[in-house]
Amino acid sequence: MVLSIASGRTRQVLCLAGFAVLALAAHLLTLHAGYRTLEKYEPDWTTIGLVRLTVSAVAALLLMAALRQFGGQQPVQGDLPGWLFVAMWTASFLLLYAAALAVIYWPHQLEHHVREGDFLSIMTEVLFVAALVFLVIAARRARHVRTERLFGLGAPVIIMAIAAVAFIVLMEEASWGQHWIGWATPGIFEGNLQNETNLHNFYTYRFEMAYYSAAIIAFVLLPYAWPVEPPHALRGASLFVPPPLFAVAFLPLSGFMYFNWNWVFFGIWFVASLFIAVDIARRATGPGTVSGSLVMGAMLVVSQLIFLMRGETLAWGHELTEVREFAIAIGVLGYSATLWRRVVALSVRSSESGADRPAPVPAPAPREAGHGKLPR
């Protein structure tokens, strides 16, 4: 009743305040149940666990009610070409489907394909290298395009900063070349949970929380919530935010959970992703986009139920997180290709017009797309 009579800005504030209160309550329930923060346990199906899950779900709905008022008028497809959406959607869907099948039929064999040096780990690094190529080319091309600056920084600097982050993630995953060359771990890294030359395995669970949440925010929540007319100080960021349809392709990033199912924010991201799937399907006009959003949302639910029911049969316990890291690599590559296409389009437009004013983000396309571990 209060939300129905409040103004738009007031509703946003109330929703965000309610989200913060309920998220804190869910965290306190987790502690009350005897679980330590960011530790991995089997899913909690006790009464307290179910109450925590319910509170987290309501918190997620309040968060999305607030975010929807920011990005609710954004064209779903934007400038994302149909073929790129289909490619990203298909890769994410097949990965989620394959992981679910593996957990059902080959839970003891899955670890032999996801550990460092195995197929999935190698492909994760390959995708990051490909993404870096797109980012470097985009940064070079952006030197010839005048765009809105973001906090005083031009597009080439921001793109190279994104590339630097991707490079650091790649090298951390490859233990700064140890996986490729095979040197012995130096003594300074004694205490590393996997005895490797990297930093993130000193703080594995905190790294997972930060890394996975950042990917979900960047590739799912932000594209969905980005407003058509952002505040003046943030207009320069529009070049770097994909359209809402991008979020549909990477809804699976909020899945792949078993031992970290009790983590409050992972539960929030999961419910938020389902909200996005339904809302984008409701807003979309193309039948391919509607069905793609609903099918991906349904697959996210079905696969997560499988992971929760069968996750205890996994031999290693960290298999699903490794699969999620491969899904993130797909997202990084898709994002890099999207950003590269935008920069190329702006470069062509600038050269044709010869204008001296900052170039806008490419206009939305006229139609919808879609036809056609345990401690290491």
Side-chain angles (χ1 to χ4, degrees):
M1 180 65 180
V2 174
L3 292 180
S4 64
I5 63 177
S7 66
R9 181 59 58 87
T10 302
R11 283 199 299 269
Q12 287 179 319
V13 173
L14 290 174
C15 287
L16 291 174
F19 158 72
V21 170
L22 291 181
L24 177 60
H27 176 66
L28 293 177
L29 284 171
T30 301
L31 297 178
H32 180 72
Y35 298 113
R36 297 176 56 189
T37 303
L38 299 186
E39 289 290 340
K40 293 187 176 181
Y41 304 91
E42 292 187 352
D44 180 13
W45 302 118
T46 64
T47 301
I48 292 181
L50 294 176
V51 171
R52 173 195 54 78
L53 184 61
T54 302
V55 172
S56 297
V58 176
L61 294 178
L62 288 175
L63 173 65
M64 298 315 298
L67 295 183
R68 186 178 182 277
Q69 296 181 59
F70 287 109
Q73 303 303 316
Q74 178 85 290
V76 170
Q77 180 178 344
D79 61 330
L80 186 67
W83 67 266
L84 183 55
F85 167 70
V86 171
M88 295 186 300
W89 187 97
T90 302
S92 294
F93 180 86
L94 290 179
L95 181 64
L96 195 59
Y97 180 72
L101 286 183
V103 171
I104 294 174
Y105 296 108
W106 309 285
H108 298 291
Q109 287 74 41
L110 183 57
E111 71 161 317
H112 302 299
H113 302 282
V114 301
R115 284 183 178 271
E116 282 75 6
D118 291 327
F119 174 77
L120 208 66
S121 174
I122 294 173
M123 289 306 300
T124 298
E125 295 166 5
V126 168
L127 294 186
F128 265 97
V129 171
L132 284 170
V133 172
F134 275 113
L135 290 171
V136 171
I137 295 175
R140 288 176 57 85
R141 193 72 177 261
R143 294 182 303 170
H144 308 293
V145 178
R146 292 196 62 214
T147 60
E148 297 278 359
R149 300 177 74 85
L150 180 62
F151 303 124
L153 300 176
V157 175
I158 297 174
I159 295 173
M160 286 307 299
I162 296 172
V165 173
F167 177 77
I168 291 172
V169 173
L170 167 64
M171 297 311 293
E172 276 288 302
E173 287 299 315
S175 294
W176 297 90
Q178 186 178 24
H179 294 172
W180 306 331
I181 301 174
W183 65 69
T185 303
I188 193 175
F189 289 92
E190 182 180 355
N192 183 285
L193 293 180
Q194 280 195 325
N195 192 33
E196 294 178 335
T197 312
N198 58 49
L199 296 177
H200 73 273
N201 279 328
F202 284 101
Y203 315 98
T204 302
Y205 298 161
R206 278 174 278 184
F207 168 79
E208 289 180 2
M209 178 66 189
Y211 181 39
Y212 302 165
S213 294
I216 293 168
I217 292 171
F219 298 151
V220 180
L221 297 184
L222 194 58
Y224 172 80
W226 193 253
V228 178
E229 293 292 338
H232 179 75
L234 296 178
R235 286 178 186 172
S238 294
L239 174 65
F240 306 98
V241 180
L245 194 58
F246 191 93
V248 173
F250 295 106
L251 294 176
L253 294 181
S254 63
F256 301 110
M257 291 181 288
Y258 181 68
F259 285 107
N260 48 20
W261 173 252
N262 298 327
W263 293 6
V264 171
F265 272 96
F266 278 11
I268 291 174
W269 303 148
F270 181 79
V271 175
S273 295
L274 298 181
F275 180 99
I276 290 173
V278 174
D279 191 55
I280 287 184
R282 185 190 63 81
R283 290 163 47 193
T285 57
T289 303
V290 174
S291 59
S293 185
L294 293 178
V295 168
M296 186 67 88
M299 188 61 199
L300 180 61
V301 173
V302 171
S303 63
Q304 188 54 50
L305 289 174
I306 292 172
F307 298 150
L308 291 173
M309 291 187 295
R310 298 280 297 170
E312 63 180 357
T313 63
L314 293 170
W316 180 26
H318 205 69
E319 293 90 339
L320 293 177
T321 59
E322 296 295 334
V323 177
R324 181 165 12 190
E325 290 178 9
F326 180 65
I328 292 174
I330 297 174
V332 172
L333 178 58
Y335 173 78
S336 302
T338 301
L339 183 56
W340 168 76
R341 289 191 76 260
R342 280 186 169 178
V343 170
V344 169
L346 290 177
S347 177
V348 171
R349 182 173 300 179
S350 296
S351 63
E352 290 176 350
S353 65
D356 293 329
R357 60 184 178 85
V361 175
R367 61 184 177 84
E368 295 291 345
H371 297 281
K373 266 162 222 172
L374 293 180
R376 299 186 181 186

